[in-house]
Amino acid sequence: MMNSARFSVGMQGIAVSERAYQQAVGFARERVQSRPVDGSARAAVTIIHHPDVKRMLMTMRALTEGARAVAYVAAAASDAAHQHPDEAVRRQNQAFYEFLVPVVKGWSTELSIDVTSLGVQVHGGMGFIEETGAAQHYRDARILPIYEGTTAIQANDLIGRKTLRDGGAVARAICAQIAETEAALGKHGCTAFTAVQAQLAKGRAALEDVVAFVVANAKSDPNAVFAGSVPYLKLCGIVFSGWQFGRAMLAADAKRAEDPAFHDAKIATAHFFAEHILSQASALRDAVVSGGAPVNALTAEQF
Ligand SMILES: Cc1cc2nc3c(=O)[nH]c(=O)nc-3n(C[C@H](O)[C@H](O)[C@H](O)COP(=O)(O)OP(=O)(O)OC[C@H]3O[C@@H](n4cnc5c(N)ncnc54)[C@H](O)[C@@H]3O)c2cc1C
């Protein structure tokens, strides 16, 4: 029951992010402000032409698409865990689904705060005006990382029941699957595919380091390990999203002729995600592996 409730709140995060994105795109297509930096027009243009507005919209789009893909993979694993005829496959899918649930809940709801906040930012001063509805999404998103277990509670579950209980076996099995996607991306050769492969390899290596750190130190130094629980959860969210973007761009490439505009946008979004978001994986790794001591340095009285 709790898995289902947590999964559903993760979907709420994805849904409010999608709504905020669509509304921000609509506003950016209409709002006229400033001339383009490349001098392509002498008059002011709609703000969707400004590179920083595109960056904000791409961030909103990429975070939302990545989280949605991870949630769908989790949902498919849940179906297989219940319906697959082979008992061993059912068990494998159940373990995979259970590992993903705190990530779907924690990551999709944390990012919904960032995405809906960017939605306000795209609107500029109008974002602060109630009538646009942009601030309503931000406010609605703010509860999501709190109810059905705060992000820290999801992250404690990720470390305790999902990583330590099996000595990191499921986490390492996921990393092995990610490495297979990297290999498939490497065979392609185009710039976007090579870039995603490189960032995915770095992200997967960061995740392997963190899993090894958690497993090795949880007993001897639990305060240091749990100080990195939320960065670990975020690292999983970023790397799993990057993994699904890798799979999505391979699928988009295979079907490109059917709808070039849609599939090219998918590939461009995957490339953006790799360079702007997946690239943050090594910083999260450092926060977990080296950041425990400074988190715990102050006594309660020193705050
Ligand atoms: C709008 C709304 C609707 C709700 N609806 C329902 C409902 O229908 N049914 C229901 O049962 N509940 C509901 N709740 C309650 C909700 O589930 C809790 O507020 C939530 O689980 C957080 O618990 P808490 O408020 O006791 O916060 P606390 O547990 O006091 O947490 C405060 C802070 O401490 C952190 N923290 C606490 N323990 C740990 C720990 N072990 N490790 C690390 N950090 C920790 C938390 O992450 C958080 O940042 C609702 C809450 C709200 C605001």
Side-chain angles (χ1 to χ4, degrees):
M1 189 186 84
M2 285 317 295
N3 275 341
S4 166
R6 289 174 174 183
F7 181 87
S8 298
V9 176
M11 290 307 299
Q12 277 189 284
I14 294 162
V16 75
S17 297
E18 177 65 32
R19 184 68 194 96
Y21 167 70
Q22 289 185 17
Q23 192 167 331
V25 169
F27 182 83
R29 283 203 175 112
E30 286 180 3
R31 170 68 173 160
V32 174
Q33 182 73 283
S34 310
R35 283 176 294 180
V37 284
D38 63 5
S40 55
R42 298 183 71 174
V45 292
T46 51
I47 62 171
I48 202 164
H49 292 95
H50 299 312
D52 191 64
V53 174
K54 284 188 168 177
R55 179 194 61 79
M56 289 193 280
L57 294 175
M58 286 301 283
T59 304
M60 297 173 79
R61 176 188 177 101
L63 284 169
T64 308
E65 276 192 29
R68 183 186 293 119
V70 174
Y72 285 1
V73 164
S78 175
D79 285 349
H82 286 98
Q83 302 296 339
H84 200 281
D86 185 329
E87 159 77 25
V89 177
R90 282 204 301 276
R91 250 187 287 122
Q92 201 180 12
N93 275 283
Q94 184 65 28
F96 180 47
Y97 172 65
E98 288 190 1
F99 193 93
L100 289 181
V101 166
V103 179
V104 169
K105 199 286 179 180
W107 172 242
S108 309
T109 60
E110 286 285 335
L111 70 81
S112 74
I113 296 174
D114 296 339
V115 170
T116 54
S117 174
L118 280 171
V120 174
Q121 192 71 16
V122 169
H123 284 73
M126 285 303 287
F128 230 70
I129 306 296
E130 278 306 312
E131 280 73 8
T132 62
Q136 181 69 52
H137 298 315
Y138 191 24
R139 213 166 30 245
D140 289 348
R142 196 61 195 85
I143 183 58
L144 303 178
I146 296 174
Y147 61 21
E148 296 306 348
T150 61
T151 307
I153 298 304
Q154 308 304 321
N156 287 353
D157 179 44
L158 182 66
I159 286 188
R161 284 192 292 185
K162 308 299 163 63
T163 305
L164 294 175
R165 197 182 271 180
D166 67 3
V170 170
R172 282 193 296 273
I174 295 173
C175 287
Q177 287 189 62
I178 295 173
E180 285 175 21
T181 302
E182 287 163 32
L185 289 165
K187 286 185 194 140
H188 198 280
C190 290
T191 312
F193 288 72
T194 310
V196 174
Q197 181 208 11
Q199 291 295 350
L200 191 54
K202 281 194 249 175
R204 191 240 322 142
L207 184 54
E208 285 170 343
D209 283 357
V210 164
V211 171
F213 172 81
V214 166
V215 171
N217 295 287
K219 267 215 176 99
S220 58
D221 197 354
N223 284 332
V225 168
F226 281 86
S229 64
V230 169
Y232 173 32
L233 183 147
K234 290 183 173 175
L235 176 63
C236 285
I238 285 176
V239 174
F240 296 168
S241 297
W243 173 28
Q244 296 315 318
F245 266 123
R247 295 181 62 215
M249 73 196 299
L250 289 165
D253 187 52
K255 291 188 174 254
R256 189 178 177 279
E258 288 174 21
D259 184 350
F262 174 82
H263 292 108
D264 286 351
K266 181 66 76 179
I267 292 168
T269 307
H271 190 186
F272 175 90
F273 186 91
E275 301 290 20
H276 285 256
I277 300 166
L278 190 50
S279 54
Q280 297 165 16
S282 58
L284 289 165
R285 175 222 173 265
D286 293 351
V288 180
V289 172
S290 319
V295 167
N296 292 306
L298 303 193
T299 62
E301 293 71 33
Q302 283 177 294
F303 280 94

